[in-house]
Amino acid sequence: MGALNITAFIGFTALVAVLSYIWTRGTDEEDSDGYFLGGRSLTAPVIAGSLLLTNLSTEQIVGLTGQAYSEGILVMAWETLAAIAMVVTALVLLPRYLKSGISTIPGFLEERYDAQTKTAVSLLFLSGYVVVL
């Protein structure tokens, strides 16, 4: 059983690496668009899948499963709704943001409000990461 798990993990990781290379080869990674957005060549479903899979971690796979076993399936509702919200966001809102050239939340706030708002939110995000992590 252990060898099958390792084989599946290596196979899936290799598949992701190959598909990532194929979809992003030839992109210019000298600026933020090329580095973070694959040169804006990725479609909304690919980005939605990436968001969804990025949300999966040991906490969701092991922790919530154990909590659902001990307390009932109701604890899974949060993650189910979060997955639906991420996919809807990626399929509905993301294409609009990509067309307008926005790639980050602070970038959106700068376009919507001003540079001071962008700076304030960036500082809040960074300080939040420092405190939480």
Side-chain angles (χ1 to χ4, degrees):
M1 187 68 165
L4 179 62
N5 289 340
I6 292 171
T7 304
F9 173 76
I10 291 172
F12 185 73
T13 302
L15 176 67
V16 169
V18 168
L19 290 176
S20 298
Y21 173 76
I22 289 170
W23 287 334
T24 59
R25 68 177 172 214
T27 59
D28 179 22
E29 296 178 359
E30 297 298 320
D31 59 358
S32 63
D33 282 352
Y35 187 76
F36 290 110
L37 300 174
R40 297 193 181 271
S41 64
L42 302 176
T43 60
V46 173
I47 296 171
S50 174
L51 285 171
L52 184 63
L53 292 174
T54 301
N55 190 42
L56 294 176
S57 68
T58 304
E59 187 246 335
Q60 280 81 22
I61 295 171
V62 177
L64 283 176
T65 305
Q67 193 174 10
Y69 177 77
S70 67
E71 299 186 26
I73 197 68
L74 184 61
V75 297
M76 300 296 265
W78 175 263
E79 288 301 319
T80 303
L81 293 175
I84 293 168
M86 282 193 307
V87 170
V88 168
T89 298
L91 294 177
V92 176
L93 299 176
L94 189 64
R96 294 180 190 172
Y97 293 150
L98 291 176
K99 284 179 188 173
S100 65
I102 297 170
S103 59
T104 63
I105 292 173
F108 169 74
L109 293 173
E110 180 179 30
E111 185 175 306
R112 174 93 184 206
Y113 300 105
D114 58 8
Q116 289 177 330
T117 305
K118 174 187 173 183
T119 303
V121 169
S122 296
L123 289 172
L124 286 172
F125 282 173
L126 288 172
S127 62
Y129 289 141
V130 167
V131 169
V132 171
L133 299 176

